[in-house]
Amino acid sequence: EEANRFIREVWGLQGAAYLVVGLRYFSRIHSMGWRKLAWDDALMFLAILVYTAESVMAYLVVAYWKGLANNAMTDEQRAALDPNSEEHMLRVNGSKTHVVGLLLYTTLLWLLKGCWAVYYARLTDGVHRMKLLIKGAYVTMPLTYVACLLVAFLKCIPFHHQWQINPSPGSDCMPAISTLQTIFVMIMNTITDFYLMAIPLPMVWKSNLPFRKKLVLLIMFSGGLLEMTFGILRATSILTLGDIDPAQSGYWSVRESFVSVVLTNMPMVYPLVKNFFEKGLSSIGGSKNRTNAADSHGYRLSSNPGKDRKTHNSKHPLSIPNETRWGSEENIVDNKNV
């Protein structure tokens, strides 16, 4: 019953993720057109493909390999297990699937970090003091990803011991509960999320935006905290329950991945959803939406409202989400010498 419940959860989350990503592209294309799509849009396309593959791996672990892997066995059970038995086959294939699933999980998280880095590059374009942080992100994200891959491939040598049953290959060679890989990826994920949040949050906090807009942006750009929470929950469940239920890795990887996909797309989806509800409420009330000039044009983060309205057509790239136009984004500065 638990397996069936998880399978429904996997495909339910998958469908919701497709919807969110679809809204992202609709919002972007509706407001900017195909030719204005950026590198983060391309990275998101790759990310959703990887997320799909990760969900398939989680499904295989539970539905086909019955949640079994090469852990949660005593030495006596390993020695007694017939290499030609069905259980042996299930455990070997379950372990191999865990190996692939963990690589996909890591790849997905870092693709989404790449989306954030590219988005923040647009967000902070023209702010010279932010260029170093953006360049740091472009260096830090690939390096930490490569470090995670090195741990994945080198934590167990020879590599095929990751699906060895007898004798026990050691905890680092049990992909469902590998302490080294689980903790290392969690630490790298947490550090990089903090780094990414440090790019926009100080700028939004010091901006002249109205409090409501500022609060929305602060919440939106603090999504990394929720991602970190799910990452820690994932690591904790694997390290505490992994020997009881090897499928814990698949359970929490899929959940964390879903949350990360939704949060990464939120800056593009939020304006669309907000506008939809505002129009709906307006039609129900039989009156036009009460948005003043500031809401229509938005504010630049480093300028005052009056100046913003006069310089709204600045040549600066679009970046901050405009709350009243589908998928459009606002400029962040008035002067590139800031």
Side-chain angles (χ1 to χ4, degrees), residues 244-265:
I244 301 173
D245 182 4
Q248 286 294 317
S249 177
Y251 296 162
W252 284 100
S253 295
V254 168
R255 291 163 185 164
E256 182 186 356
S257 297
F258 170 74
V259 170
S260 298
V261 168
V262 171
L263 291 174
T264 305
N265 285 285

Side-chain angles (χ1 to χ4, degrees), residues 149-169:
L149 290 186
L150 288 176
V151 169
F153 284 101
L154 300 180
K155 73 179 188 294
C156 177
I157 299 176
F159 188 76
H160 64 80
H161 278 187
Q162 293 197 77
W163 49 87
Q164 176 175 295
I165 306 298
N166 188 44
S168 174

Side-chain angles (χ1 to χ4, degrees), residues 57 60-62 64-71 87-101 162-163 165 175-176 246-247:
M57 293 302 108
L60 290 176
V61 164
V62 175
Y64 279 77
W65 317 134
K66 299 180 181 180
L68 297 175
N70 64 345
N71 58 305
E87 182 181 347
H88 189 279
M89 180 271 294
L90 292 174
R91 289 186 176 277
V92 168
N93 289 337
S95 299
K96 290 179 179 179
T97 305
H98 271 293
V99 171
V100 177
Q162 293 197 77
W163 49 87
I165 306 298

Side-chain angles (χ1 to χ4, degrees), residues 265-333:
N265 285 285
M266 199 50 58
M268 285 71 178
V269 173
Y270 171 75
L272 178 65
V273 175
K274 182 177 183 294
N275 194 36
F276 174 79
F277 280 106
E278 283 185 346
K279 285 188 175 182
L281 291 174
S282 176
S283 62
I284 293 174
S287 62
K288 292 185 178 180
N289 186 26
R290 297 179 180 178
T291 49
N292 56 27
D295 282 331
S296 297
H297 296 286
Y299 295 101
R300 296 192 182 94
L301 294 185
S302 63
S303 62
N304 59 65
K307 186 177 181 181
D308 257 330
R309 288 193 289 271
K310 295 177 183 178
T311 59
H312 179 72
N313 293 323
S314 169
K315 64 181 179 181
H316 293 296
L318 301 172
S319 49
I320 290 289
N322 182 320
E323 295 184 1
T324 56
R325 286 187 292 180
W326 288 1
S328 60
E329 301 168 330
E330 288 288 338
N331 295 331
I332 191 169
V333 292

